[in-house]
Amino acid sequence: TVLRDGASVGTRPVEGLDEATLIRLMVGREVQQVYPPSGGAAGDAVLTVRGLGCRAGGVHDVDLTVHAGEIVALAGLVGAGRTELARTLFGIT
């Protein structure tokens, strides 16, 4: 059973339920409508980091390249170093 906005929008047996159908039930439309393919090549590099480290932050040997038009997120479990990496990138630590 999938709930959306507090209402049941569909119940299906797990057997035979494909990912596209589950997503459609969850978001109310095809996922391509939410995130259409960009169809474009990455722009020029606007940020390049090689071998970034900070002993105080516990960050070691990080390489990162961000291209124009990209959206970048730092993700990981608690304790994985997301905050420490961000603080180091921004020069806080």
Side-chain angles (χ1 to χ4, degrees):
T1 298
V2 175
L3 301 174
R4 185 174 62 239
D5 297 326
S8 174
V9 294
T11 298
R12 307 280 193 286
V14 175
E15 300 82 24
L17 180 64
D18 61 85
E19 184 176 335
T21 301
L22 181 59
I23 291 170
R24 189 171 45 257
L25 288 169
M26 292 171 68
V27 300
R29 59 191 160 276
E30 298 291 330
V31 75
Q32 288 80 9
Q33 294 172 331
V34 179
Y35 300 108
S38 67
D44 294 336
V46 294
L47 172 68
T48 301
V49 176
R50 297 283 178 249
L52 178 68
C54 175
R55 190 172 304 147
V59 175
H60 305 285
D61 198 29
V62 173
D63 293 342
L64 174 70
T65 302
V66 179
H67 296 269
E70 288 184 324
I71 298 173
V72 178
L74 299 175
L77 298 174
V78 172
R82 298 169 307 196
T83 302
E84 293 79 6
L85 175 58
R87 291 176 62 84
T88 302
L89 279 169
F90 290 113
I92 297 170
T93 303

